[in-house]
Amino acid sequence: MNHRPVLLTVQFIAILFIAGCAIKPRIVDQNDQKIPSWYGRLSMQVQGHPNESPPEKQSFNAAFGLRGTPQFGYLDFYSPLGSTAAAIHWTPEFASLETQGETHTFAGLNPLIQHLLGTDVPVSALFDWLNGRERAVNGWEVNLTQFAQGRISAQRISPLPQAQLRIILDN
């Protein structure tokens, strides 16, 4: 059985989690506190490691809904027909990935992302970028010049593998 499509789906979901969407809708939790939410489309490309023969490039594109903070949250990826293709839920203690009727649990969000992508993503910085705040991260370059139009792009230069993240937020 070829597990490559499943791995790509999981990687795509992790990338979507990293990205984000629009800031319009807000969800209110049980304590009547507003939880930030973003909706939109996410695209992630991860270059293959030079040590691989041949280096495999991975790409992921999906609609997503992200609710929460770097500490607690939910990230849903949607199919072209609008159904939930995958869901990620995280707290400081664990993170879970639900896809194709299966649930996988990790010690936290960073291990989940590392497992899916084979590389780290600056989750805390991503939430700043989604709010239009530029935040420097070693090895990453972010471009928020089109944030007013709902566009965010970030590129990982080092360490390898290089990665490109693009987000288009719904208004």
Side-chain angles (χ1 to χ4, degrees), residues 20-22 25 27 37-41 64-67 78 168-170:
C21 274
I27 299 171
S37 302
W38 298 268
Y39 299 87
R41 291 207 51 83
F64 71 96
L66 172 62
R67 301 167 313 281
Y78 303 107
I168 299 175
L169 300 174
D170 293 340

Side-chain angles (χ1 to χ4, degrees), residues 10-152:
V10 171
Q11 291 174 345
F12 175 73
I13 294 170
I15 294 172
L16 290 182
F17 168 77
I18 300 169
C21 274
I23 302 175
K24 286 209 170 197
R26 300 265 182 203
I27 299 171
V28 178
D29 74 3
Q30 295 172 340
N31 297 324
D32 206 29
Q33 298 175 347
K34 290 186 179 182
I35 299 173
S37 302
W38 298 268
Y39 299 87
R41 291 207 51 83
L42 171 86
S43 169
M44 179 92 178
Q45 291 184 331
V46 179
Q47 302 296 323
H49 285 279
N51 299 353
E52 294 176 349
S53 180
E56 289 191 37
K57 182 180 192 180
Q58 298 177 5
S59 297
F60 177 76
N61 297 297
F64 71 96
L66 172 62
R67 301 167 313 281
T69 66
Q71 294 78 32
F72 299 91
Y74 301 88
L75 174 64
D76 295 319
F77 295 100
Y78 303 107
S79 74
L81 298 176
S83 62
T84 302
I88 296 174
H89 170 243
W90 67 95
T91 71
E93 292 81 30
F94 78 95
S96 66
L97 167 66
E98 296 177 38
T99 184
Q100 300 179 346
E102 295 182 12
T103 301
H104 302 277
T105 304
F106 297 83
L109 187 55
N110 288 330
L112 184 150
I113 292 169
Q114 179 71 38
H115 174 78
L116 293 176
L117 302 176
T119 189
D120 294 320
V121 175
V123 174
S124 294
L126 176 64
F127 278 87
D128 283 340
W129 301 341
L130 290 168
N131 285 303
R133 293 187 301 265
E134 195 160 327
R135 179 170 168 186
V137 176
N138 191 25
W140 284 81
E141 294 177 0
V142 65
N143 182 342
L144 297 176
T145 59
Q146 295 184 325
F147 182 78
Q149 293 79 34
R151 296 181 182 268
I152 300 167

